[in-house]
Amino acid sequence: MTATVPATAALALGDDALVLSHRLGEWAGHAPVLEEEVALANIALDLLGQARVLLSMTGDEDELAYLREERAFRNLQLVEQPNGDFAHTIARQLYFSTYQHLLYAELAAQEGPFQPLAGKAVKEVAYHRDHAEQWTLRLGDGTGLSHDRMSRACDALWRFTGEMFQPIPGVDIDWAALETSWLASVTDVLGRATLTVPEGPRTGAWAAGAGRQGLHTESFGRMLAEMQHLHRSHPGASW
Amino acid sequence: MVTATALETELLELAGSVPDPELPVLTLHELGVVRAVHLTGTGAVEVDLTPTYTGCPAVETMRADIEQVLRTHGMREVTVRTVLSPAWSTDDITPEGRRKLQQSGIAPPRTQHSAGPVTLTLGPTRTGHAGEAETGTAPEAIRCPHCDSADTELLSRFSSTACKALRRCLACREPFDHFKEL
């Protein structure tokens, strides 16, 4: 089973989980209410657990997390985007958790190296997706201010969503069907939240997205510096 | 062979008797996370442990506690393996485990009896209120562990740990943790 782990896929999926986990962890001490602080930290913890399993499939988890340079990370540009305001974080959660839930459901349903992890994680991510959907409804269909901010956040992150459906070598699923399901689900949630589906491009020259090839956005370097500096300054530190 | 199996059963019971580090009222057996014990040689044993959540931080402590118990019982070499498949479910919590959760003020998870793909309908946030009967689609209520009322509502999907949600009882007004179905 583990004889043929596709390293590219393990890194791509593992880096998505690791990087988003770190971003969500940045909310600790800053979330709008205590319950939300706990919720975001718990989602981050689930993602960190998934990242540990995925990265360990292809190498030493600590070396991969703490000693790679920016260009060696294979995560989507979407997950590295700064937290922004709470609406931006929720828009990022909506786009990503819907994708991850659909993707893990596919991987859980087929024999392969990712089946055990996906079968477990799909149940965790169902709660992440529900959390994001409920907040999207509440903010979109809330006050004028919350509606405007949620709308701005959905628009701002839209151009990062096309990259999610670039096929990953070693992940043998119907990517076009995945994209169709994702679009239908996001359109449904945005509609119920009285928000409009953003109009900008999701793919092509005007869209973003080369994270899978190791090209990242400006803020990612600073995020990595913070994430890695302790281990680089004090190799093997523990407490 | 016969003695080995008897010893394995004994060791499985010992490993299962370790209290859960986060919910010490439950044993690991009652939580349903110790899957198997295999003797791999004289005094050498391998234990299969499955995490509740992939990122459960208590796994390290469980591992250490199991090792200690089995070493005290004469095992020289104890290996605790983490197994993910089949994925742990809250249905794996024993009836005794559910009773103990309830007693310690945590509403136990409802049983799911389902296999296959997970649906996203995680249910309404409020259960057990009058309006439900009219629709005829009332889900099984989540009962208050303090006063047993079925009229309770969700406050937050995530509580003190990832495996629990925070709810409030609308009858006695007490907040309580609910062990989420997984």
Side-chain angles (χ1 to χ4, degrees):
Chain A
M1 185 184 77
T2 50
T4 55
V5 172
T8 310
L11 272 190
L13 303 181
D15 286 348
D16 281 351
L18 175 67
V19 170
L20 185 57
S21 167
H22 190 84
R23 279 293 186 215
L24 291 173
E26 291 172 356
W27 274 107
H30 303 278
V33 289
L34 185 61
E35 286 81 0
E36 207 41 39
E37 176 136 337
V38 170
L40 294 172
N42 272 317
I43 294 171
L45 184 63
D46 284 346
L47 290 168
L48 188 62
Q50 295 160 19
R52 293 186 64 184
V53 173
L54 288 160
L55 295 180
S56 297
M57 289 169 86
T58 180
D60 178 86
E61 55 177 342
D62 284 343
E63 279 182 24
L64 288 168
Y66 296 128
L67 299 176
R68 271 183 301 162
E69 300 291 333
E70 184 182 338
R71 289 279 179 112
F73 278 80
R74 290 292 177 266
N75 55 282
L76 297 164
Q77 290 183 354
L78 174 69
V79 296
E80 75 200 30
Q81 294 312 302
N83 287 334
D85 63 9
F86 187 66
H88 277 76
T89 291
I90 293 302
R92 194 182 57 200
Q93 283 303 108
L94 177 70
Y95 292 162
F96 183 75
S97 62
T98 304
Y99 161 76
Q100 200 188 29
H101 187 243
L102 295 168
L103 177 62
Y104 280 172
E106 290 290 322
L107 292 174
Q110 58 175 242
E111 289 276 324
F114 299 115
Q115 190 180 34
L117 183 265
K120 182 152 190 63
V122 70
K123 301 199 284 179
E124 300 163 1
V125 176
Y127 281 99
H128 306 177
R129 185 178 175 185
D130 182 60
H131 171 264
E133 291 189 3
Q134 298 304 325
W135 269 112
T136 303
L137 297 177
R138 189 162 160 191
L139 296 175
D141 196 11
T143 65
L145 180 63
S146 75
H147 176 91
D148 289 349
R149 288 173 78 156
M150 193 63 211
S151 177
R152 269 206 296 278
C154 289
D155 287 351
L157 294 172
W158 189 246
R159 68 195 179 98
F160 295 102
T161 59
E163 188 189 4
M164 297 192 286
F165 307 100
Q166 289 175 12
I168 302 170
V171 177
D172 186 21
I173 61 163
D174 184 344
W175 290 90
L178 187 75
E179 181 160 20
T180 305
S181 305
W182 180 88
L183 203 54
S185 171
V186 168
T187 301
D188 170 59
V189 176
L190 293 180
R192 284 188 284 131
T194 72
L195 295 162
T196 45
V197 177
E199 283 176 355
R202 299 174 47 241
T203 54
W206 293 100
R212 294 278 190 242
Q213 287 76 47
L215 297 179
H216 296 281
T217 52
E218 190 184 344
S219 60
F220 186 54
R222 285 195 292 272
M223 193 209 95
L224 272 193
E226 187 171 304
M227 188 176 95
Q228 296 184 335
H229 97 268
L230 185 80
H231 187 83
R232 286 180 184 267
S233 305
H234 307 276
S238 66
W239 61 82
Chain B
M1 230 14 230
V2 175
T3 48
T5 310
L7 181 56
E8 280 174 345
T9 309
E10 190 185 339
L11 294 174
L12 181 62
E13 271 174 30
L14 275 171
S17 69
V18 170
D20 177 77
E22 283 185 6
L23 295 164
V25 293
L26 294 194
T27 65
L28 298 187
H29 165 71
E30 286 158 353
L31 192 59
V33 295
V34 181
R35 287 266 164 87
V37 168
H38 312 282
L39 281 171
T40 52
T42 312
V45 67
E46 202 173 75
V47 182
D48 286 354
L49 180 71
T50 194
T52 53
Y53 279 68
T54 319
C56 179
V59 168
E60 296 303 321
T61 312
M62 291 180 188
R63 188 191 303 272
D65 291 351
I66 290 173
E67 276 185 27
Q68 199 194 359
V69 165
L70 298 189
R71 279 179 199 280
T72 311
H73 199 71
M75 291 293 121
R76 282 179 293 102
E77 201 183 315
V78 182
T79 313
V80 181
R81 295 195 315 156
T82 304
V83 292
L84 294 181
S85 185
W88 180 83
S89 153
T90 40
D91 287 356
D92 297 339
I93 301 176
T94 65
E96 176 67 2
R98 285 164 194 279
R99 197 184 60 75
K100 286 185 176 175
L101 280 175
Q102 174 103 28
Q103 268 187 349
S104 55
I106 300 169
R110 293 164 294 182
T111 47
Q112 304 177 96
H113 309 296
S114 67
V118 177
T119 54
L120 192 65
T121 33
L122 296 174
T125 55
R126 187 173 169 193
T127 68
H129 57 290
E132 263 179 8
E134 294 156 24
T135 65
T137 54
E140 185 186 340
I142 298 166
R143 291 184 170 274
C144 170
H146 307 298
C147 75
D148 202 40
S149 165
D151 192 3
T152 66
E153 70 173 357
L154 182 71
L155 292 179
S156 177
R157 278 165 183 72
F158 297 88
S159 186
S160 52
T161 61
C163 61
K164 285 177 259 152
L166 186 63
R167 296 184 75 87
R168 168 168 53 203
C169 175
L170 294 167
C172 73
R173 311 302 294 180
E174 283 291 320
F176 65 91
D177 269 338
H178 166 227
F179 206 119
K180 287 186 293 203
E181 293 78 23
L182 189 76

